[in-house]
């Protein structure tokens, strides 16, 4: 479980580094009829959504699911 959590944190760091598409900024190519920079950001958003879903599923602290009385929600 700890390895999965570390892998998710590493993926989060990779997403942070890959956020800007500077090499594609002036690229006029089209992919599927869309500018290559837009396709890059579509893929980036999909990857970010998957990483965030993984973080919620496997790295969410269980204490945050307890209410003030210590009972599970």
């Amino acid at each position: 479980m700890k390895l999965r959590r570390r892998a998710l944190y590493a993926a989060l760091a990779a997403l942070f580094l890959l956020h800007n598409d500077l090499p594609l900024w002036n690229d006029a190519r089209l992919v599927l009829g869309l500018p290559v920079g837009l396709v890059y950001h579509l893929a980036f958003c999909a990857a970010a959504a998957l990483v965030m879903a993984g973080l919620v599923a496997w790295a969410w602290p269980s204490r945050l699911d307890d209410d003030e009385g210590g009972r599970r929600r």
Side-chain angles (χ1 to χ4, degrees), residues 17-33:
L17 293 175
L18 293 172
H19 180 260
N20 292 321
D21 65 339
L22 295 178
L24 301 175
W25 188 256
N26 292 320
D27 195 343
R29 289 181 294 161
L30 295 177
V31 177
L32 301 172

Side-chain angles (χ1 to χ4, degrees), residues 5-73:
R5 200 177 279 181
R6 286 185 185 182
L8 283 168
Y9 290 141
L12 194 62
L15 284 174
F16 177 75
L17 293 175
L18 293 172
H19 180 260
N20 292 321
D21 65 339
L22 295 178
L24 301 175
W25 188 256
N26 292 320
D27 195 343
R29 289 181 294 161
L30 295 177
V31 177
L32 301 172
L34 298 171
V36 70
L38 180 60
V39 174
Y40 178 86
H41 276 286
L42 288 171
F44 178 83
C45 288
L50 289 173
V51 169
M52 291 300 151
L55 285 169
V56 169
W58 294 302
W60 188 268
S62 61
R63 63 181 167 75
L64 294 178
D65 290 334
D66 298 337
D67 64 5
E68 293 178 5
R71 296 181 308 267
R72 289 290 229 192
R73 290 186 194 183

